[in-house]
Each structure stands twice: as structure tokens, then as C-alpha cells.
Amino acid sequence: MPKGSESRSSHCDTHRSSRQSPVHGVRYGPRLAADTGGANGCHPNGTAHSAEGAADARQRQPVSDRGCCRLLSVGLRERGCLWVRGEGPPLVLLSGQANNHHWWDGVRDDFHAARSTLSLDYRGTGESDKPDRAYSTELFAQDVIAVLDDLGADRADVYGTSMGGRVAQQLAARHPHRVRALVLGCTSPGGQHAVERDNDVRRSLVQPQPGAARQALLELMYTPAWLATHPGPYRTLGDPDMPAHARRRHLAAGNQHDAWRLLPGVSAPTLVVHGSDDLLNPAANAPLLANRIPGARLHMIPGARHAYFEEFRTLASPLVLDFLTTEPQR
């Protein structure tokens, strides 16, 4: 991926006209359409290319369901990769720690009846730049603002899971006018008020035997019944191509998150969703968030573990979409 550009560059074609929400009358920004390679300037493998290749790209066939990587500035020196799918008011999907946009591959189509979906490869993951410097959930939230600015979107709905939920907290609390509705999944407020995973879980994730830690993570993400019928590939176990320094930076960003004092300032309608059997990010964090955010709603999914959004998608996705399309605006 090209690095070092300080100018904002667009490699996907978006429609800049504003769109009024049919439900709330909110100006979301552009109506997005980025599934085709000929119009959006994507390579057939889904990665963006230089402006010089745009003419050739227009001759290509539509890209597969990977969508389009749109490169844009997310700092003075870094560029991030934005993946845009579907049409309609934007829904920002925020992935878990050390994961790229593929985290959402199994469920993002569930939202396209009413929303376009935007997913950013965090710094250090996917097609985005991977600087070896401090990351934080606040920094990742600033990157989301850069995405919305680039697209000309005044506001967006935001759905963050795991560390993505922590990023979403920062986004909604520090930039309340940019978030129309908020969904926080399998996440926590961080800091001293959060309920941390127990030591047995921690030890299971650092086992030295080959494959043992990966298996432990799988069992924290999914139920045995799901694993027995879904042999993979799995999209939620981390970006396999991340450099070691980026993994360390992501781990630090998640561990240092503390939004407790910010949460009462969240003004967007908020839904908190969590699996009742989540041990990776203990389920006790869900009521903490719901009680701390004014007017937040809480929904626990019985029997679900950390990746409730994928394993229990037939319940979770309609729940989230119904909330986004019917919750009255504050």
C-alpha cells in the first residue's frame, strides 16, 4: 500500500448529493454506492490503485463482494483504507482489536436493505498504513471522523463491537453531533470500573503449545455447537498479516481505554448488546454501559459468547437494524 501521502486521495467514486433519511429526516451526507469496480476505481482484488490507473479500472468488470478500498488521510502522514458497501445512509462498522474489515464479512449484508456500510481498516491492519507509534481508541475515533469528513457525511449510525465498541464510545462522547444512533456490542467502558476477564481466560490465550491459544480464542468467540458445524475460515481471530509492532500497539490501545467519565455525555440513542456467556469481555460490562449512558437500552442474547453478532446473526442483525430505523432521534 502506498505510504507517506499527506493529501487526501479518493479511490472510490461516491455520490456527493445529500440524502434525507426516510425515517428521521436527518442529513446523513452522501448516498453511497461502491460495489462496482468500473465506477469506483478498485482493482479486481478489492484494493485501491493510483489515480493514473483509474481509466483502465473503468474498463474492468465489477469487483467481487469485497467491495472497494478507498484510501484517505487519517493523520499528518498516514493513510487509512475505507471499505464501502451498499447504498443509503451510512452505518459505520467498527471491528475488534487487531482485526481488519473482514471482521464484518459474515453479517454486513444484513444491513444493506436500509444502510450503506462503511468499515475502516484500523491503523496497523489490512490495507491501512502501519506506523510504529502509539495507537489509542481516541485516535481510532478521530480516524472515523476523517472518514465522515472525506465522504461529506454530517452524521452516521455507528455499530462497534469488542474494541470497536470502545472506539464507538470515544466517537459518540467526543463528537456527539456526528453520531445519530449508537450500538455497542460485546464491549466495556474500560478502566477501573470495567469487569475484566479472569486469570484463567488470560492464561488460555497465552498457551505456548502450537494452536492451543488459537483454539482457546475460538471457544471464547463461539459456542461448541457452532464450531462443530462451522469449520472456518474464521474472520474474527485477528488480521494474520499484521506486523508484530502493530499487534502490540493495538493491545495497548485496548488496555488503556477508559471512557467512564465520558459516557454520561453520550447523547445519541444507544443500544447495548452482549452475549450472556461472553467470558472474553465479561457480560457484566453490558449493564455498566447501559446504566452509565443516559437512556440506553440493554439486550442480552442468551447463550451467546463474544462473537454473538455472527453466530446469532439471525437475532442480532434484525435487532440492530430495527433499533437504527425506529429509535426516535433525541
Side-chain angles (χ1 to χ4, degrees), residues 41-265:
C42 289
H43 281 310
N45 66 3
T47 58
H49 59 75
S50 65
E52 290 81 358
D56 290 340
R58 294 188 186 100
Q59 307 301 319
R60 301 182 188 277
Q61 294 299 313
V63 183
S64 69
D65 62 3
R66 287 187 61 188
C68 170
C69 170
R70 173 191 180 111
L71 297 177
L72 65 155
S73 297
V74 293
L76 293 178
R77 293 175 297 277
E78 286 86 41
R79 289 199 295 180
C81 182
L82 171 67
W83 298 83
V84 183
R85 291 283 309 280
E87 295 189 22
L91 168 62
V92 177
L93 300 174
L94 297 172
S95 308
Q97 178 182 295
N99 279 269
N100 59 31
H101 70 282
H102 287 301
W103 174 276
W104 294 101
D105 282 358
V107 302
R108 67 186 302 166
D109 283 346
D110 296 346
F111 306 110
H112 290 152
R115 296 289 185 271
S116 61
T117 57
L118 319 178
S119 55
L120 179 68
D121 283 342
Y122 294 123
R123 300 175 194 226
T125 71
E127 301 294 332
S128 292
D129 286 349
K130 302 170 178 64
D132 188 5
R133 63 184 185 87
Y135 303 160
S136 68
T137 54
E138 182 180 356
L139 179 67
F140 293 146
Q142 292 171 1
D143 292 345
V144 177
I145 294 299
V147 166
L148 297 181
D149 288 346
D150 185 84
L151 296 175
D154 289 346
R155 292 200 288 173
D157 295 329
V158 177
Y159 183 10
T161 49
S162 198
M163 189 189 77
R166 298 183 176 201
V167 176
Q169 294 166 42
Q170 297 279 3
L171 184 63
R174 297 182 183 277
H175 308 275
H177 60 293
R178 307 303 295 271
V179 178
R180 194 200 66 85
L182 176 67
V183 182
L184 301 176
C186 54
T187 192
S188 82
Q192 64 180 356
H193 296 282
V195 178
E196 297 295 330
R197 66 191 65 151
D198 66 31
N199 288 331
D200 287 342
V201 171
R202 293 180 185 276
R203 284 191 290 267
S204 74
L205 295 173
V206 293
Q207 298 177 76
Q209 300 89 341
R214 181 180 185 275
Q215 184 61 34
L217 180 57
L218 274 172
E219 293 172 2
L220 290 165
M221 300 295 285
Y222 306 101
T223 65
W226 171 269
L227 292 174
T229 56
H230 295 78
Y234 304 105
R235 311 172 182 90
T236 56
L237 304 184
D239 183 341
D241 298 321
M242 282 183 75
H245 73 262
R247 289 186 180 278
R248 292 192 298 269
R249 297 295 191 180
H250 268 249
L251 179 61
N255 288 342
Q256 293 167 8
H257 172 80
D258 185 355
W260 187 256
R261 67 176 179 82
L262 299 175
L263 294 176

